[in-house]
């Protein structure tokens, strides 16, 4: 199925590795030029180089999305390299898990600044170009944790806030040919997750609460992003797609 993405340009934040890197690879395989951006600029460049070695188009850009000036520079690099930005995937995020009484204010602020302020900066930076073209796709990577997870009050609150942001921005931009949607992944077997010392315990616990008889892979999220970015999703906006294997609690 032709997704209609050939020759369009995407920014994927937090795409040096994991879900972001797989998303960047899949979009490039669909014919898109991709700005691979991450706080780890060296790793972003390596991912971009791997995409190019596979026949795709990509550049790696270091950026701290909490900083508006760095976001503007990141978008300018994409515009200079590829002519504009059509798709923005707000994937960057992190966890600082602790129960509330043990949580430091810095743990709260960091998670919210990356997830919410970073998304705010990135959307503000790309929207003028999308409005000029009267075409755009913004895809925000939320989490099943938006429904609540013990030990993740900061993360759950940030991801739930991202849904409110998605819904509001979709209403603002629908008339401009821009869709704004969210994807809420469940437990995804990234290299980082598999490197955790208690991975086996976590995976077993998740397996017993997930109706699907297998755990999610980064490609499951990347495929959902590619669809939401495509022409086939032109009438979908303000939606949250749960990619969780049927796990919601």
């Amino acid at each position: 199925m032709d997704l209609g993405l050939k020759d369009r340009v995407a920014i994927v934040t937090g795409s040096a590795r994991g879900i972001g890197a797989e998303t960047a690879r899949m979009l490039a395989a669909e014919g898109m030029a991709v700005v691979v951006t991450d706080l780890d600029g060296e790793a972003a460049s390596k991912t971009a180089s791997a995409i190019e070695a596979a026949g795709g188009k990509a550049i790696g850009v270091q950026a701290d999305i909490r900083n508006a000036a760095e976001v503007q520079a990141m978008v300018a690099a994409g515009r200079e390299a590829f002519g504009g930005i059509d798709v923005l995937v707000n994937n960057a995020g992190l966890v600082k898990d602790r129960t509330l009484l043990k949580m430091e204010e810095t743990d709260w602020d960091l998670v919210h600044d990356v997830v919410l302020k970073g998304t705010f900066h990135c959307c503000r930076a790309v929207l003028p170009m999308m409005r000029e073209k009267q075409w755009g796709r913004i895809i925000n990577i939320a989490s099943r944790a938006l429904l609540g997870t013990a030990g993740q009050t900061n993360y759950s609150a940030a991801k739930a806030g991202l849904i409110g942001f998605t819904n509001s921005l979709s209403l603002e931009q629908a008339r401009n040919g821009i869709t704004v949607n969210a994807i809420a992944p469940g437990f995804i077997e990234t290299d980082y997750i598999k490197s955790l010392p208690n991975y086996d315990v976590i995976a077993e616990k998740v397996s017993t609460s997930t109706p699907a008889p297998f755990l999610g892979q980064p490609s499951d999220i990347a495929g959902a992003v590619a669809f939401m970015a495509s022409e086939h999703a032109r009438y979908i906006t303000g939606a949250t797609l749960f990619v969780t294997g049927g796990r919601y609690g």
Side-chain angles (χ1 to χ4, degrees):
M1 181 171 65
D2 182 6
L3 297 181
L5 294 173
K6 183 175 171 51
D7 298 328
R8 292 199 182 275
V9 182
I11 291 177
V12 184
T13 67
S15 52
R17 53 184 64 85
I19 291 171
E22 182 61 24
T23 297
R25 285 191 289 267
M26 188 171 290
L27 294 180
E30 291 294 331
M32 298 191 74
V34 183
V35 179
V36 178
T37 184
D38 201 280
L39 188 61
D40 185 342
E42 183 178 352
S45 294
K46 287 181 179 178
T47 297
S49 294
I51 290 172
E52 289 201 301
K57 295 179 181 179
I59 59 169
V61 180
Q62 190 279 333
D64 182 347
I65 60 172
R66 297 172 297 174
N67 184 296
E70 291 193 27
V71 169
Q72 291 290 344
M74 170 191 74
V75 171
R79 185 171 57 240
E80 181 178 351
F82 303 124
I85 306 298
D86 302 295
V87 174
L88 169 65
V89 183
N90 288 303
N91 169 74
L94 79 164
V95 293
K96 287 287 185 178
D97 294 354
R98 288 181 180 175
T99 57
L100 187 65
L101 291 178
K102 295 179 180 179
M103 187 176 293
E104 300 292 339
E105 186 174 350
T106 53
D107 297 330
W108 179 274
D109 289 345
L110 179 59
V111 170
H112 280 72
D113 282 353
V114 172
V115 173
L116 292 176
K117 185 181 287 186
T119 297
F120 166 78
H121 286 322
C122 290
C123 289
R124 279 174 57 93
V126 302
L127 274 170
M129 283 180 287
M130 292 181 177
R131 286 167 61 98
E132 184 177 348
K133 293 182 179 182
Q134 289 291 288
W135 196 98
R137 302 284 189 267
I138 295 173
I139 301 150
N140 299 321
I141 305 301
S143 169
R144 184 218 56 83
L146 68 90
L147 300 173
T149 301
Q152 288 192 317
T153 52
N154 52 357
Y155 187 73
S156 293
K159 293 299 189 177
L162 193 58
I163 300 306
F165 179 97
T166 298
N167 294 346
S168 294
L169 189 59
S170 73
L171 296 173
E172 292 179 10
Q173 298 303 327
R175 70 184 64 187
N176 298 311
I178 301 166
T179 67
V180 187
N181 292 293
I183 293 171
F187 184 84
I188 304 298
E189 283 191 305
T190 62
D191 289 340
Y192 168 74
I193 291 293
K194 289 187 284 189
S195 73
L196 295 175
N198 59 340
Y199 165 74
D200 291 338
V201 174
I202 296 172
E204 177 62 26
K205 182 179 179 181
V206 172
S207 294
T208 60
S209 60
T210 301
F214 52 85
L215 297 176
Q217 301 299 315
S219 59
D220 295 314
I221 308 305
V225 171
F227 170 71
M228 284 298 194
S230 77
E231 291 289 357
H232 301 286
R234 69 187 185 94
Y235 204 54
I236 302 172
T237 195
T240 299
L241 175 62
F242 281 79
V243 185
T244 64
R247 177 175 176 242
Y248 295 95

